[in-house]
Amino acid sequence: GGFSGIENLVGGTSTDTFTLSGGGTLTGSITGGLGTDTLTGDNVANTWTVTTANAGTLTGTGGFSGIENLVGGTSTDTFTLSSTLTGSITGGLGTDTLVGANGANTWTVTAADAGTVTGTGGFSGIENLTGGTSTDTFTGSGGSITGALTDAAGTSTLNSTLTVGSASLTGAVILGSNTAITTSGGGSIVFGSTVNGAGNTLGLTAGTGSITFTGAVGGGGALGAITINSAFNVGAAAIT
């Protein structure tokens, strides 16, 4: 019929599913034990941080370990990777964000708000993707992101067709192949530093959004071509 006065929860040797709901909190920790285990956050604004392999912190708990799969609630969930997760990250309802680790990350968007990233078994139901402070490679593979694609530091390498709500790439950008970025709902595209192409082409479609090139384009590796299909306005520094 339930439990009370229990600070720590420990799973068995098979699969365990832990769900936080109704504003319930746990002062102690959640330990998955053996098996493949899942932790679902409450329907509140949650902050998740994976700090060591299959372990970390979550709003409303003293932390978790031995948990392979993370599932967000119906509100906003922010998942930050500082280590690895053998299973998957599912955002659930709400507008959710996945922040990559501060190492070399490879992101592939394979379905609507879903795909793969280094250090996890994949993600789904994630509207916003944010790179870490090192190098991040973003590749479109038939999928799309309804929210923001952000890389606030480090170098971003772009490949194929990326369909996103908006794009803000603060560090240097390298085109790893012919690349197209399309935003939805009037989202803007911002390049905060240099853009180099090694002969690859760049196509941009922002609709009613703006396109901004803050740094030099092509100075460290000429682009094959730049095609701007639509934008409310375009701002550019030097284009070679």
Side-chain angles (χ1 to χ4, degrees), residues 38-41 48 69-73 77 79 85 88-93 96 122-126:
T38 300
L39 175 58
T40 301
W48 309 68
N69 302 298
L70 305 181
V71 180
D77 290 272
F79 303 88
L85 194 76
S88 62
I89 297 173
T90 304
L93 300 178
D96 308 306
F123 63 88
S124 62
I126 300 291

Side-chain angles (χ1 to χ4, degrees), residues 142-208:
S144 61
I145 294 296
T146 55
L149 175 66
T150 305
D151 198 1
T155 300
S156 302
T157 299
L158 308 181
N159 293 290
S160 192
T161 299
L162 292 162
T163 302
V164 297
S166 64
S168 179
L169 306 168
T170 302
V173 169
I174 300 170
L175 303 184
S177 63
N178 292 338
T179 299
I181 301 176
T182 298
T183 64
S184 58
S188 296
I189 302 172
V190 178
F191 297 98
S193 184
T194 58
V195 180
N196 293 303
N200 294 306
T201 61
L202 177 62
L204 301 174
T205 303
T208 57

Side-chain angles (χ1 to χ4, degrees), residues 29-47:
S29 62
I30 298 173
T31 304
L34 300 177
T36 300
D37 308 307
T38 300
L39 175 58
T40 301
D42 200 355
N43 297 328
V44 298
N46 292 309
T47 299

